[in-house]
Amino acid sequence: SSRCRSYACNPHPAANMAALRSAALLLAPGMACAQQAGKVVAEVSPKMPLQTCTQAGGCETVPAAVTLDSNWRWVHNKDGYDNCFSKDGWSPHFCPDGRTCAETCAIEGIDEVGYKTVYGVNAIETGVELEFVAQSGNVGSRVYVTDGEDSYHMFKLKNKEFTFEVDVSSL
């Protein structure tokens, strides 16, 4: 066939599809490794409304929220309260390798009180306020904007203005 020039190409489309399905099934077990969700604290992400404005149409409020970076979260064994990560690094007991760590450890959620007091992330009417030093003594926080539940918000900034306020008077 003139459309099959590669040595790996089978001229029969059904044979190509069968080979692709077989390859996908063989690769699937290796791709199923993911961090467990914790069950101690339910995630309650602070709401952060966004506004999209145009000269002709005015402003439209878009629902959004923020979520804290996983580096700041508690990672513990999924069946207990022992840390999987500490100042010394990953626990050799729970995390001798990535797959075992993902199977035995859980990353915990953060509730509204935790966001505010432990991490200094406060929901306010027009967005969120990030305290440099939280009530707990933690310094800084890294948050990501989400669409409110389970996906990150994608900002499309080409030919657009992106504004936010930073109050440095108390730093």
Side-chain angles (χ1 to χ4, degrees):
S1 167
S2 62
R3 65 187 176 94
C4 292
R5 298 193 191 281
S6 167
Y7 68 92
C9 185
N10 188 317
H12 301 289
N16 287 336
M17 288 306 294
L20 285 174
R21 272 187 251 128
S22 296
L25 288 173
L26 288 173
L27 294 174
M31 299 181 335
C33 187
Q35 188 68 54
Q36 304 286 322
K39 297 178 181 152
V40 177
V41 179
E43 178 71 19
V44 181
S45 297
K47 303 295 181 214
M48 186 181 92
L50 301 174
Q51 285 194 325
T52 303
C53 304
T54 63
Q55 206 169 20
C59 295
E60 173 189 345
T61 300
V62 178
V66 295
T67 188
L68 192 69
D69 188 291
S70 65
N71 284 345
W72 289 91
R73 294 172 179 264
W74 179 34
V75 182
H76 60 89
N77 66 313
K78 68 179 183 178
D79 298 321
Y81 299 95
D82 296 319
N83 291 329
C84 290
F85 188 84
S86 69
K87 64 179 179 162
D88 299 325
W90 292 103
S91 163
H93 177 70
F94 297 118
C95 297
D97 57 69
R99 177 176 296 282
T100 305
C101 193
E103 291 170 354
T104 60
C105 295
I107 189 166
E108 207 52 61
I110 305 168
D111 60 16
E112 186 177 356
V113 173
Y115 267 103
K116 183 174 182 163
T117 61
V118 178
Y119 302 104
V121 179
N122 304 303
I124 59 175
E125 185 178 333
T126 56
V128 293
E129 179 181 74
L130 305 176
E131 297 174 8
F132 184 66
V133 180
Q135 295 171 21
S136 66
N138 281 338
V139 176
S141 57
R142 184 181 320 147
V143 294
Y144 300 97
V145 179
T146 67
D147 286 330
E149 290 298 323
D150 59 1
S151 62
Y152 293 109
H153 181 80
M154 180 60 68
F155 290 95
K156 296 178 182 171
L157 302 176
K158 185 175 181 180
N159 298 322
K160 295 182 180 176
E161 180 178 318
F162 185 84
T163 61
F164 59 95
E165 292 180 22
V166 177
D167 178 4
V168 295
S169 64
S170 61
L171 290 179

